[in-house]
Amino acid sequence: MDIINNPEIIWLIAGILLLLLEFAVPGILIVFFGFGALITALLTFLTGMGIGFQLLSFTFFSLLFLVLLRKKFMKILTGSTQIDPDEEFIGRKGVAETDIKTSETGRVFFRGTRWDAISDTPVSKGQRVTILNKDGLTLIVKPD
């Protein structure tokens, strides 16, 4: 049995190597190409399809798995308790270091850092504020 004459064996080996390579390269990306190669190996074994269809199958299934499963894998492997870094600001309290007028940017002190801040409601210097959102490096606040 010559391996070169058995494309399903080549796809099987490629799939296993790609799955193993995922452990060396972080990012949960290569694993989907490994799945694509394994599906292609199975389909090649069952149907005996030619190289053109093998490449099409590999590409199709790799991208399909990538699009459909990457977010789910990331959630499972990184934990569903992980939050968006911007969300840790929402609802927290700070203190206005300057007056914040509705059409101007002011400054807020939050967690040991001075931040640019905007507000739909005027805020006086020294007044406590609640952070509603974060837009880049600017906090969106409201007075307490």
Side-chain angles (χ1 to χ4, degrees):
M1 182 184 318
D2 191 12
I3 292 178
I4 294 175
N5 292 331
N6 291 312
E8 59 271 7
I9 301 295
I10 294 172
W11 283 111
L12 179 66
I13 292 170
I16 292 170
L17 289 175
L18 287 167
L19 291 175
L20 292 174
L21 187 60
E22 181 64 44
F23 292 108
V25 180
I28 308 176
L29 179 68
I30 298 172
V31 68
F32 301 109
F33 293 96
F35 290 156
L38 293 176
I39 295 293
T40 301
L42 179 64
L43 291 174
T44 302
F45 176 74
L46 295 174
T47 65
M49 62 186 167
I51 187 70
F53 285 115
Q54 291 173 30
L55 292 174
L56 185 64
S57 169
F58 171 69
T59 303
F60 174 76
F61 285 108
S62 296
L63 294 176
L64 180 71
F65 288 136
L66 180 65
V67 169
L68 294 179
L69 299 177
R70 187 160 194 260
K71 280 188 179 180
K72 291 179 185 180
F73 272 49
M74 292 291 284
K75 186 178 280 189
I76 291 168
L77 295 175
T78 60
S80 59
T81 59
Q82 189 175 31
I83 61 169
D84 180 7
D86 289 347
E87 288 183 15
E88 73 177 272
F89 289 79
I90 298 172
R92 303 296 176 133
K93 307 290 183 187
V95 177
E97 288 199 326
T98 63
D99 290 337
I100 304 173
K101 299 179 181 172
T102 56
S103 60
E104 297 179 14
T105 301
R107 302 285 284 172
V108 168
F109 190 77
F110 173 67
R111 286 193 179 169
T113 306
R114 288 166 182 81
W115 296 83
D116 286 337
I118 58 174
S119 177
D120 288 338
T121 308
V123 178
S124 301
K125 179 179 178 179
Q127 189 174 7
R128 290 188 51 82
V129 295
T130 300
I131 300 169
L132 301 175
N133 208 341
K134 182 174 169 268
D135 183 19
L137 296 176
T138 302
L139 301 178
I140 301 166
V141 299
K142 70 173 184 173
D144 273 350

